[in-house]
Amino acid sequence: MSDQQKDTLGKFRETLHKISSYNEALGVLYWDLRTGAPRKGMDTRSEAIGALSGDMFKLSTSPELGEWLSRLEEDDIYESLSEIDRKLVDETRKEYDRSVKIPPKLYEEYVVLASQSESKWEEAKAENDYAGFQPYLEKVIQYTNQFIDLWGAKETRYDTLLDQYEPGMTVKELDGVFGGLRSELVYLSAKIAASPHQPDTSFLRQKYDKAAQKDFSLYILKQMGYDFDAGRLDESAHPFATGLNPGDVRITTRYLEDDVTSALFGTIHEGGHALYEQNISRSLVGTPLCTGTSMGIHESQSRFWENVIGRSRPFWNRYFGELQARFPGQLDVSVDGFYRGNNTVAPSLIRIEADELTYNLHIIIRYEMEKLIFNEGAKAAELPELWNAKYKEYLGVEPASYADGVMQDVHWSGGAFGYFPSYSLGNMYAAQFAVAMEREMPEMWTKVGAGELHPIKDWLTERIYQYGKLRTPSELIKNVTGEPLNPQYLVQYLTKKYTDIYKL
Amino acid sequence: MSDQQKDTLGKFRETLHKISSYNEALGVLYWDLRTGAPRKGMDTRSEAIGALSGDMFKLSTSPELGEWLSRLEEDDIYESLSEIDRKLVDETRKEYDRSVKIPPKLYEEYVVLASQSESKWEEAKAENDYAGFQPYLEKVIQYTNQFIDLWGAKETRYDTLLDQYEPGMTVKELDGVFGGLRSELVYLSAKIAASPHQPDTSFLRQKYDKAAQKDFSLYILKQMGYDFDAGRLDESAHPFATGLNPGDVRITTRYLEDDVTSALFGTIHEGGHALYEQNISRSLVGTPLCTGTSMGIHESQSRFWENVIGRSRPFWNRYFGELQARFPGQLDVSVDGFYRGNNTVAPSLIRIEADELTYNLHIIIRYEMEKLIFNEGAKAAELPELWNAKYKEYLGVEPASYADGVMQDVHWSGGAFGYFPSYSLGNMYAAQFAVAMEREMPEMWTKVGAGELHPIKDWLTERIYQYGKLRTPSELIKNVTGEPLNPQYLVQYLTKKYTDIYKL
């Protein structure tokens, strides 16, 4: 590499490092907003966030960065780059093109619209007023279509949106995957509903002391290998995880006094996201590769820890006594009763309250709706009817209100089309990873039953976490499991689990 | 104003607004570091702080800003500016000149040195190793002298340092003020030591539940009029207040289980700083005028609330019962005994543990030492001996170690020369404000005795808080009290208070 080339690479990496610093600062500002920043400071804080975001956007779209990219992409120099530097060039090119293709004025209009639309959604949802929300949703769809035009449609227009959250994912692949999954889950769900062996859940609803819940959550996080010298647990209205850098990955939870496991499973879920971010290789710090490789893979980790491990029988064989000890006289139920009570299945209207099985049907409905909007031109006015018909068909329930139906999620109001599939991809990836883990570590469940969770974390770190964005989702799933994404693993996992619980 | 002039003013204010946004973001990052940011994220966080600080410095010293300033300073336009805009031009000019006079390379060297010197100080203090620290201190003094040369010496070289923290304050004025104060306090302190009526303080040292201490601290903050919708109370190793904007002014405290009032008085102290920042006029938000006018005036508010109000007899007449109720069976002492036990005076070695009276002697010693260094050329090697001699002369005590003597404070290691006088200025301003308040609100102490603290806050807001940096310290003290700074008010206040307590 010539001195001039070295200089270009140096400036390129320096700029990425700076963008990463701005990202971290913004991350702290957002975390702060959601964990107790005082109400009256919000307006001024928004201006500070606006100023920093604006400067970061300028950095990310500067003509200099474009020039350095072009130079680093020239054959002779690109070939001489390290694996990490090559990935940095590719990843930065992708983001750079995405950003510069949108005229700044259009983007600013859209940011204002999305913010207004989210506010309107919140208000209209409370009043069950779809007609009031509809014009905003129409406009958000219209802007999103403009973006697709500017970015360029892939195989289908909706593919362009999917690629934002799950790089490389296509409608073609998802249609296959979700098609099979849907019929299997509808079938399994019906069998479960017909079973006479419905678990008792009444013991879950008592008054459970918040301090004791917190104590147990902290204990389980430590058991999972969450590093408290590289994170902290706070409270917020909506639980979340945020990776500021691998040495500072924070999670929040929300304690409900009338539910002994809601906060716990939420904590394990966010803890799964956090384990991913805490264990990314230090060599990626200060670069855009220092984060999860996709929303779907990220979600696979939260769901692996929450569902595959946290809702498993061996887990509770080990930890139920510990939980009981924190609520003397309250959890008067057998470990089997407790396990079954925390693994019930029933069709419902609200996605975020759904069980591990029917959750995927909620997602499939949203995926099909989004395809209708962007590939078939469905209008905002038609969505409630389409929504209700699908809920009736797949889940056998029908919303009595918009708030319990098409208006339940925030995503569309803010333009996050293409995001929903990540949640079910997470479930499918998680089940597929679990089978690979069982194969390579046959004593896995014995370990879980003995409270040895660190080997699980180490296995995931070695194969997934450390790479950050160095491997694509499809590379990861092939490297780790030996085959591409296969929904049958999730079907088998759910079938086995619920056949046992509901004695099918 | 011509369109071009309006344009210049617009760009000028926009840049100040942006600097203010960066300041706020940095404020959150620092607050976060001190209230529980995880250890392992520190290095990356420091880089983020470095990146933002660097960009803010560039903004504050840009040639464009210099040009706009020069244009706005032209007679015809300056005269047509509003009061606030004129002050903005003056204040920005002052900071701009200060910053651009230091060559960036020199400043960077200094930042590194100051950081190393602070670390070395911490280490050397723990090992009582003045010889190890001395070369760092020497260098810090040397750089500070270079800065004085670059900024230009005022009436004396040390005046240039004083002006950083207390604009307009001079050695000439302080010599007069501290000279009188010193002899009066040495005299009063000797009389107190000789009194046979020493208060009993044994009741203070028991185990006092932290949660109950916190509950009482929150209660008192509310009584003072601290707005919890514009702030929050956290814990940190060293209590502090930080004003991010008037709608977000946070304080921290530290609960000691073996001391029932340490955290409380710390909270009231920081609460005083916070009341100042919460009540600055909203018209100053987003400008450099939206903060306290000087360190001395800021400190006058923390000390007014902590000492004048919080350690007063009427205050405890009202609140002692409330405190007792939170520690059933523990505070078996009369309100008079409690009041006296919290107002003892005794010469000591450590400034931050000193009482309300002798505290000022600690400050006067530091002031005299700093004058010796910068106006008389005293060398780092000579400081311990000078220090010890002054402690013996003014306080009658002599440090047995460097850690209890010349090395006790962090200030000099980081180059904060000229800061110490602010603390005693705060005490003097506070006493002088209190006399004006008593004159204008004769029922003041009746109100305190009845737990009506809001009128006190309103009086201070109307006369001091709202103005932020719009009034200089000397303007404020003259406007509010009708005369310039006069140390006799502090002498009278202390004499009256301790004559009563020690029956002199």
Side-chain angles (χ1 to χ4, degrees), chain A residues 37-55:
Chain A
R39 181 173 65 75
K40 291 185 180 170
M42 293 292 181
D43 289 348
T44 313
R45 177 65 43 82
S46 301
E47 289 170 11
I49 288 176
L52 261 64
S53 306
D55 285 351

Side-chain angles (χ1 to χ4, degrees), chain A residues 271-291:
Chain A
H273 283 303
L275 286 183
Y276 192 172
E277 298 269 337
Q278 280 188 338
N279 291 290
I280 295 174
S281 164
R282 291 302 184 272
S283 64
L284 301 179
V285 170
T287 79
L289 304 177
C290 195
T291 184

Side-chain angles (χ1 to χ4, degrees), chain A residues 275-493:
Chain A
L275 286 183
Y276 192 172
E277 298 269 337
Q278 280 188 338
N279 291 290
I280 295 174
S281 164
R282 291 302 184 272
S283 64
L284 301 179
V285 170
T287 79
L289 304 177
C290 195
T291 184
T293 189
S294 73
M295 291 301 136
I297 297 290
H298 230 307
E299 206 63 25
S300 79
Q301 294 314 302
S302 53
R303 284 158 192 271
F304 177 85
W305 283 100
E306 179 191 349
N307 294 331
V308 178
I309 302 294
R311 292 185 199 268
S312 73
R313 201 185 280 273
F315 182 86
W316 287 111
N317 284 342
R318 167 66 186 83
Y319 292 111
F320 184 55
E322 299 271 4
L323 183 68
Q324 273 181 316
R326 279 164 178 89
F327 300 99
Q330 285 198 271
L331 280 168
D332 188 17
V333 58
S334 68
V335 59
D336 183 65
F338 182 83
Y339 166 70
R340 296 180 71 231
N342 275 292
N343 279 295
T344 55
V345 171
S348 64
L349 290 167
I350 307 294
R351 175 183 62 88
I352 59 166
E353 294 165 8
D355 57 77
E356 225 183 313
L357 189 158
T358 60
Y359 188 94
N360 300 288
L361 294 170
H362 291 264
I363 295 305
I364 290 170
I365 290 171
R366 285 154 181 76
Y367 166 69
E368 294 180 356
M369 299 281 295
E370 292 185 342
K371 276 199 306 175
L372 286 173
I373 298 169
F374 294 99
N375 289 350
E376 312 295 331
K379 300 283 165 241
E382 307 170 69
L383 301 183
E385 208 175 319
L386 288 165
W387 180 283
N388 291 358
K390 285 184 186 291
Y391 263 80
K392 195 165 183 192
E393 185 183 351
Y394 304 160
L395 283 151
V397 293
E398 227 176 336
S401 72
Y402 298 117
D404 284 347
V406 70
M407 282 177 80
Q408 68 182 263
D409 298 308
V410 67
H411 302 57
W412 291 350
S413 73
F417 297 104
Y419 192 108
F420 280 122
S422 313
Y423 296 122
S424 270
L425 283 168
N427 286 331
M428 293 185 280
Y429 289 141
Q432 191 163 337
F433 287 142
V435 171
M437 194 184 285
E438 286 166 356
R439 189 169 58 228
E440 291 181 19
M441 200 186 344
E443 70 289 14
M444 169 188 169
W445 289 112
T446 319
K447 285 186 191 295
V448 174
E452 291 170 31
L453 305 181
H454 285 235
I456 313 276
K457 185 200 76 177
D458 293 342
W459 190 95
L460 293 163
T461 296
E462 197 185 324
R463 286 157 186 80
I464 302 171
Y465 298 166
Q466 62 164 320
Y467 295 112
K469 263 191 151 159
L470 267 185
R471 306 266 177 278
T472 65
S474 57
E475 282 169 355
L476 268 188
I477 193 84
K478 268 182 231 155
N479 292 351
V480 177
T481 72
E483 62 176 312
L485 173 62
N486 181 345
Q488 282 312 308
Y489 292 108
L490 178 61
V491 172
Q492 284 161 19
Y493 159 80

Side-chain angles (χ1 to χ4, degrees), chain A residues 74-87:
Chain A
E74 285 165 17
D75 285 351
D76 63 323
I77 174 164
Y78 186 82
E79 293 308 319
S80 68
L81 293 177
S82 69
E83 187 201 355
I84 289 182
D85 284 332
R86 247 179 279 163
K87 264 280 178 185

Side-chain angles (χ1 to χ4, degrees), chain A residues 26-39 41-43 45-46 49 236 240, chain B residues 28 232 248 250:
Chain A
L26 283 164
V28 176
L29 294 177
Y30 283 117
W31 171 84
D32 184 66
L33 279 186
R34 297 170 73 178
T35 53
R39 181 173 65 75
M42 293 292 181
D43 289 348
R45 177 65 43 82
S46 301
I49 288 176
S236 67
F240 67 97
Chain B
V28 177
R232 47 183 284 168
D248 190 350
R250 306 177 180 193

